[in-house]
Amino acid sequence: MIPVYEDNHIIIVYKNSGEIVQGDKTGDEPLSETVKKYIKEKYQKPGNVFLGVVHRLDRPVSGLVVFAKTSKALTRLNQMFRDGEVHKTYWAITKDSPKESEGMLTDWLVRNEKQNKSYAYNHEVPNSKKAILQYKVIAHTDNYNLLEINLMTGRHHQIRCQLANMGCPIKGDLKYGAKRSNPDGSISLLSHHVEFAHPVSKELISIDSPVPDDNLWKALTESL
C-alpha cells in the first residue's frame, strides 16, 4: 500500500496485487484496515478511524483505489461512482493481439457466484448485464501488447471477461484463459489513472498510478 494522494476528505492509494480491498472469508487483513492504521498513526488519532470503501479492485489486480475519509465524501463519492462521474483508465498486458488496434466491445455478462466468474454473450440472455468498454493498443513488444481500457459500465470481472472473449486474455489470468500464471500470482491489469471532481472542493483530481516493479511492465511503458 502506497499513499499517492491525500487531503481531509479522501485518500488514494496504490494497491499491490494480492491485497484485498475489503475483508473476505480468507481472514487476510484488507487494504481498508491497512489504510486505517496508516491514518491513525500518521495523525495520532484516538479511537476508531472512519474510512469509507467506494469501489474495489480484484485481488490479483494492482493500481489506484479511492477511499473516503469523511461521511460527507463517502456519500458524494458513492453517488459519483453510480452516476459515472469518476473516470478510471486501466492498462492491461495481453500476449494475443486484438484484430483491431482500437475499438469498442459490447457484451452481455452473466455472473456465476459459485465460480466467482463471469461469462460473456454477444446477445442478451437471462440474468445478463450489458457491458461496454473501449480499448486501444498503446504499446507493444515482440511478444506482448499494452492495452488502455476505459469502462463505460462497471460489471463483475468486466475487463478480464471481455478481453478474454475477444481472444486476448490478460497475462497471468488463468481463470479467463491465460496459458500460464504470473510468478507472483498477479494478473497484468493495472488501475492506472483516476480522474474526478473532488466531492467537497470540486477541484479536479487527476492521479496516475506507479507501474508495477516488473521488467515487462517497464519495457512496455518506458516510451509512454
Side-chain angles (χ1 to χ4, degrees):
M1 188 280 291
I2 305 166
V4 291
Y5 175 86
E6 185 181 4
D7 61 32
N8 289 338
H9 292 281
I10 62 174
I11 181 169
I12 303 173
V13 304
Y14 174 83
K15 175 184 112 54
N16 294 298
S17 67
E19 292 181 307
I20 48 173
V21 174
Q22 269 190 309
D24 65 6
K25 59 178 182 277
T26 63
D28 295 341
E29 179 173 290
L31 189 60
S32 53
E33 282 304 313
T34 309
V35 175
K36 279 185 186 179
K37 286 179 180 175
Y38 161 81
I39 293 169
K40 191 177 178 71
E41 286 173 20
K42 182 176 179 180
Y43 301 103
Q44 299 179 330
K45 283 181 173 276
N48 291 330
V49 170
F50 178 88
L51 191 75
V53 177
V54 291
H55 70 112
R56 298 171 186 79
L57 291 181
D58 296 341
R59 187 166 195 155
V61 178
S62 54
L64 300 175
V65 182
V66 182
F67 291 100
K69 290 173 65 179
T70 62
S71 55
K72 179 193 281 189
L74 177 62
T75 302
R76 292 182 183 176
L77 278 169
N78 280 335
Q79 190 62 49
M80 289 164 67
F81 268 92
R82 277 195 294 272
D83 294 344
E85 293 172 7
V86 178
H87 304 289
K88 292 194 295 174
T89 303
Y90 292 82
W91 283 355
I93 298 174
T94 67
K95 188 162 177 59
D96 300 295
S97 302
K99 290 189 179 73
E100 307 288 338
S101 62
E102 59 183 289
M104 185 174 285
L105 303 180
T106 301
D107 299 291
W108 278 261
L109 304 191
V110 176
R111 180 176 183 175
N112 183 314
E113 296 274 359
K114 279 187 178 172
Q115 293 179 317
N116 188 31
K117 186 175 179 181
S118 287
Y119 291 86
Y121 297 84
N122 62 6
H123 58 278
E124 193 168 2
V125 299
N127 303 315
S128 64
K129 291 183 175 178
K130 194 174 188 179
I132 307 169
L133 64 76
Q134 289 178 319
Y135 75 88
K136 182 179 183 181
V137 178
I138 57 170
H140 60 86
T141 63
D142 290 344
N143 294 313
Y144 292 99
N145 305 279
L146 180 65
L147 276 60
E148 184 170 271
I149 295 146
N150 287 291
L151 291 175
M152 310 292 111
T153 53
R155 307 300 182 208
H156 177 255
H157 289 182
Q158 180 177 339
I159 298 172
R160 300 167 66 181
C161 184
Q162 286 195 276
L163 291 189
N165 191 53
M166 180 172 67
C168 299
I170 294 168
K171 182 178 178 291
D173 197 358
L174 295 178
K175 180 171 276 193
Y176 286 96
K179 297 284 195 295
R180 58 179 62 86
S181 59
N182 289 340
D184 61 358
S186 70
I187 64 172
S188 300
L189 179 61
L190 175 72
S191 172
H192 169 253
H193 179 78
V194 65
E195 189 168 304
F196 56 94
H198 191 284
V200 181
S201 72
K202 305 305 179 194
E203 283 180 48
L204 180 67
I205 304 294
S206 181
I207 305 289
D208 284 340
S209 165
V211 172
D213 186 15
D214 169 90
N215 288 337
L216 179 58
W217 274 107
K218 288 173 181 170
L220 283 162
T221 58
E222 64 187 355
S223 60
L224 298 175

